[in-house]
Amino acid sequence: MASGDDSPIFEDDERITWLFYYCFCPFVSALFYSLSLSYSLEKMTDLVAVWDVALSDGVHKIEFEHGTTSGKRVVYVDGKEEIRKEWMFKLVGKETFCVGAAKTKATINIDAVSGFAYEYTLEINGKSLKKYMENRSKTTNTWVLHLDGEDFRVVLEKDTMDVWCNGEKMETAGEFVDDGTETHFSIGNHDCYIKAVSSGKRKEGIIHTLIVDNREIPEILE
C-alpha cells in the first residue's frame, strides 16, 4: 500500500502530464499543419507548366516548377522527381531529361518574354511538342480497348512494326496472307493481330487494322 505522501505526488505528476498534453500538442499540430500548408502553397505557386506526352509505352505527365525569385527548377515525370536545382542565378535556359521506357529525350526551354514573365516550351527529340505529335500521328497507330475489366492501349510503330500494350513491348509473330500481312500477339487469353493491307491510294499508303477475338477495334487519334 502506498504511504500517505505518495498519492499527492502521483496526482500532481498526472496533472502536469495532462496540462502538457492539452497545451503543447495543439501547438505542435498547428505548427506541422502550417509548415505543410506553406509547402503546398509554395509548390502550387512554383508550378508553371504541365504537359501530357503520348509515347508508345503510355501517356506521360510532365510537370515543371520554376521559382522566379530563387531560380529553382524542378522537373517531375509521372509524379517522380527527375531534376531539382534549388538556386539558379540565371533564370532562363533549358533542362533536358528522359521520358518513358525508350528513354525519349525531352527538353524544357525557359525564355523571358517581358519583365518578370517567362515562357515554357517542351521539345521531344528536338522537335516542338506539337510538331512531334503531328509527326507521330503519321508513324504510329493507337487503339484503346476494354478486356476482362481492364483498359488496354495498343500502339503500333509503323516504321519498325513494334507493338506496345500498356507500356510493354509485345512479343509478335509476322505472317504473310493473301491481301497483306498480319502481326500476331496476345493480350492475356485473347488472340490479337494487326492486319496491314494496301489502300490502293498513294497518299493513304498502308492501312493497319487491329483485330481482337475476330472483332475489329476502332483506331483513336491522340
Side-chain angles (χ1 to χ4, degrees):
M1 180 180 293
S3 65
D5 293 338
D6 291 339
S7 181
I9 294 174
F10 177 78
E11 290 176 358
D12 288 343
D13 289 344
E14 190 177 46
R15 289 194 191 98
I16 292 171
T17 300
W18 281 105
L19 183 63
F20 176 83
Y21 178 81
Y22 280 112
C23 293
F24 187 70
C25 286
F27 171 75
V28 174
S29 298
L31 178 62
F32 275 108
Y33 175 76
S34 176
L35 291 173
S36 176
L37 182 61
S38 298
Y39 174 77
S40 298
L41 289 174
E42 180 186 359
K43 186 172 181 180
M44 289 174 61
T45 303
D46 290 342
L47 184 64
V48 294
V50 179
W51 298 275
D52 289 321
V53 181
L55 301 178
S56 295
D57 65 326
V59 180
H60 300 277
K61 185 176 184 180
I62 298 174
E63 299 171 279
F64 183 53
E65 293 179 16
H66 186 216
T68 54
T69 54
S70 66
K72 181 185 77 171
R73 302 179 189 178
V74 187
V75 177
Y76 298 93
V77 177
D78 298 328
K80 181 183 177 183
E81 186 177 294
E82 295 293 332
I83 295 175
R84 175 176 288 273
K85 296 178 180 178
E86 290 293 350
W87 294 96
M88 297 287 290
F89 179 76
K90 190 176 181 182
L91 295 179
V92 296
K94 60 180 62 179
E95 295 297 336
T96 300
F97 51 98
C98 294
V99 180
K103 302 295 182 183
T104 302
K105 181 182 176 183
T107 300
I108 295 174
N109 296 302
I110 310 162
D111 298 298
V113 180
S114 61
F116 293 100
Y118 296 88
E119 182 180 63
Y120 308 94
T121 55
L122 178 67
E123 293 181 357
I124 304 294
N125 279 343
K127 300 183 179 68
S128 69
L129 180 60
K130 181 180 179 181
K131 190 71 177 177
Y132 176 82
M133 295 311 297
E134 288 176 353
N135 183 64
R136 181 174 172 76
S137 66
K138 300 174 184 177
T139 59
T140 63
N141 293 93
T142 304
W143 300 269
V144 173
L145 60 153
H146 193 75
L147 294 173
D148 303 328
E150 292 185 56
D151 290 324
F152 294 91
R153 177 177 176 269
V154 177
V155 177
L156 168 69
E157 295 181 348
K158 290 188 281 190
D159 53 348
T160 61
M161 292 305 291
D162 288 336
V163 178
W164 294 76
C165 180
N166 284 8
E168 293 186 13
K169 190 175 179 180
M170 308 297 288
E171 291 187 10
T172 61
E175 178 184 358
F176 287 99
V177 292
D178 291 340
D179 52 352
T181 63
E182 294 178 354
T183 302
H184 291 259
F185 60 98
S186 297
I187 299 177
N189 296 321
H190 300 273
D191 294 325
C192 315
Y193 67 91
I194 296 173
K195 188 165 187 175
V197 297
S198 174
S199 64
K201 300 177 181 178
R202 186 174 180 180
K203 288 185 177 181
E204 292 185 21
I206 305 297
I207 296 175
H208 297 87
T209 306
L210 173 63
I211 308 295
V212 178
D213 296 335
N214 297 317
R215 177 171 61 95
E216 183 176 334
I217 306 299
E219 184 182 354
I220 66 165
L221 297 176
E222 293 184 318

